[in-house]
Amino acid sequence: VFDQCLKIENIIGIKDSSGNEQSLLDFITIAKKNKKFVWVGSDSKISFAYQNGAIGAISGTSNLITDILVNLDQALNKGQLEKAKTLQLSIDILRTEMKKGTVPSILKRSIELANISEVGPARKPLFDNDKYDQDLLKMIDYYKRLEE
């Protein structure tokens, strides 16, 4: 199907958020054959994707840990693999916290607690996650210290 989509002139690539490394590799192989591009959407696969030919990442968590993701992108593009490994692993802290609720609800609450923006509570049927505030504040503090 991806092969067929790439024949459409204004389709320049695909974002893969599957988290499946083989699917990502398959997309990259097909895209390269067609002179098209792949972006990764699974935060846990950013380093893997770049090292295998993806040209970038589209990350929802960048709303909260912008500097981490920008620094990861820069480290990968400069070949600073040890720095990239540390940054890549640090994303798992946020990913662990997001498992306490839905991604949108935890991310929105974290953005507010970090004083980035007043995004408001998650809408129904999602639930408000203020019961996790202490855990989220610890996570936010971790990222602030990491950025120093």
Side-chain angles (χ1 to χ4, degrees), residues 61-72:
T61 61
S62 65
N63 291 297
L64 179 63
I65 55 171
T66 308
D67 291 341
I68 299 297
L69 289 156
V70 168
N71 290 335
L72 176 57

Side-chain angles (χ1 to χ4, degrees), residues 43-44 61 64-65 68-69 85-101 103 106-107 110 132 134-146:
D43 292 352
S44 66
T61 61
L64 179 63
I65 55 171
I68 299 297
L69 289 156
K85 182 178 179 180
T86 300
L87 292 163
Q88 179 69 66
L89 289 173
S90 77
I91 296 169
D92 289 342
I93 304 296
L94 173 55
R95 290 172 46 81
T96 297
E97 291 302 317
M98 288 194 301
K99 292 177 184 170
K100 292 179 177 176
V103 171
I106 295 291
L107 198 52
S110 297
Y132 299 118
Q134 291 307 309
D135 293 339
L136 297 176
L137 287 166
K138 286 178 190 172
M139 174 198 64
I140 291 163
D141 185 58
Y142 165 81
Y143 284 114
K144 285 181 181 175
R145 285 184 279 116
L146 191 63

Side-chain angles (χ1 to χ4, degrees), residues 24-55:
L24 185 59
L25 291 173
D26 292 344
F27 282 131
I28 290 168
T29 299
I30 293 166
K32 282 183 179 180
K33 280 188 221 174
N34 290 278
K35 297 182 179 151
K36 304 288 183 167
F37 308 102
V38 173
W39 292 266
V40 63
S42 177
D43 292 352
S44 66
K45 302 297 181 201
I46 294 172
S47 292
F48 176 83
Y50 275 50
Q51 291 167 355
N52 286 284
I55 65 161

